[in-house]
Amino acid sequence: MNKQPEAPQPLLTEEQMEQINFTLIEALHTNKQVYLTYYKNGQRITETGFIQFVDSLGNLFVFIDEVFELKNKMRLSELIDVRFV
């Protein structure tokens, strides 16, 4: 099996982190679907889903993926980008 080379986790600016947080909160309150790009195990992963819970102080959020409708708990620090579908 071919393994893709690991990429370092991108460092986000304060402005990028604020924009991600703002988009997460808006998606939570409007129930709009989002594309989440996050970093896990050396890979960038993009999924589509809905935000169910955001805890900025606890550095976590919960989203429900579109494909399997499973709840996924993740760290905010793993996020690279969040955009509305």
Side-chain angles (χ1 to χ4, degrees), residues 58-71:
N59 186 35
L60 64 92
F61 70 99
V62 176
F63 80 99
I64 300 173
D65 72 74
E66 180 185 52
V67 179
F68 299 110
E69 297 182 358
L70 297 174
K71 284 187 183 182

Side-chain angles (χ1 to χ4, degrees), residues 24 34-38 45-47 51 61 63 79 81-82:
L24 284 174
V34 292
Y35 292 117
L36 293 171
T37 303
Y38 58 94
I45 301 164
T46 300
E47 292 190 47
I51 304 301
F61 70 99
F63 80 99
L79 280 176
D81 194 25
V82 180

Side-chain angles (χ1 to χ4, degrees), residues 20-38:
I20 285 173
N21 200 38
F22 178 78
T23 304
L24 284 174
I25 298 297
E26 184 178 343
L28 174 66
H29 291 294
T30 61
N31 201 35
K32 288 183 182 175
Q33 194 172 27
V34 292
Y35 292 117
L36 293 171
T37 303
Y38 58 94

Side-chain angles (χ1 to χ4, degrees), residues 4-17:
Q4 293 183 352
E6 287 191 13
Q9 183 170 0
L11 295 175
L12 302 179
T13 65
E14 189 70 31
E15 185 177 316
Q16 288 171 311
M17 290 186 288

